[in-house]
Amino acid sequence: MPDRLDITWIALIGLALATVVVPPFVPRPLLGNALLLAFAALKGRRIVLDFLDLRSAPALWRGLVSAWIVIVLLLAWLGSAVVTLI
């Protein structure tokens, strides 16, 4: 039976492959960027929870780190939206 790190490793590989395979099938750049950043958010959350062992940390720390990931990716998406729309 695979443990949590093995499952996370497989999920990270799958998300990395999706990052390469999916963009050519997305017709709109903003949607494609949002999708890629969503994959990055999922990868970041898995890494933080399982490899940095925040899964067993207090909920406040998990929430703060998750909020940080979301804020950084939201700013990245807004930057790409500005570039695309200009």
Side-chain angles (χ1 to χ4, degrees):
M1 184 84 168
D3 65 350
R4 183 171 299 279
L5 290 180
D6 292 336
I7 293 170
T8 296
W9 185 247
I10 292 167
L12 290 173
I13 291 171
L15 287 167
L17 291 173
T19 300
V20 174
V21 172
V22 170
F25 298 109
V26 180
R28 300 188 183 267
L30 287 178
L31 181 60
N33 290 342
L35 191 59
L36 291 178
L37 289 171
F39 291 156
L42 290 172
K43 289 189 286 188
R45 184 146 165 83
R46 293 299 296 237
I47 289 169
V48 165
L49 290 179
D50 294 327
F51 287 106
L52 298 180
D53 205 25
L54 258 81
R55 193 172 294 278
S56 60
L60 176 65
W61 282 107
R62 287 192 312 269
L64 287 173
V65 173
S66 295
W68 174 72
I69 291 171
V70 169
I71 289 169
V72 168
L73 293 174
L74 179 62
L75 290 173
W77 184 79
L78 286 173
S80 71
V82 168
V83 169
T84 302
L85 295 174
I86 291 179

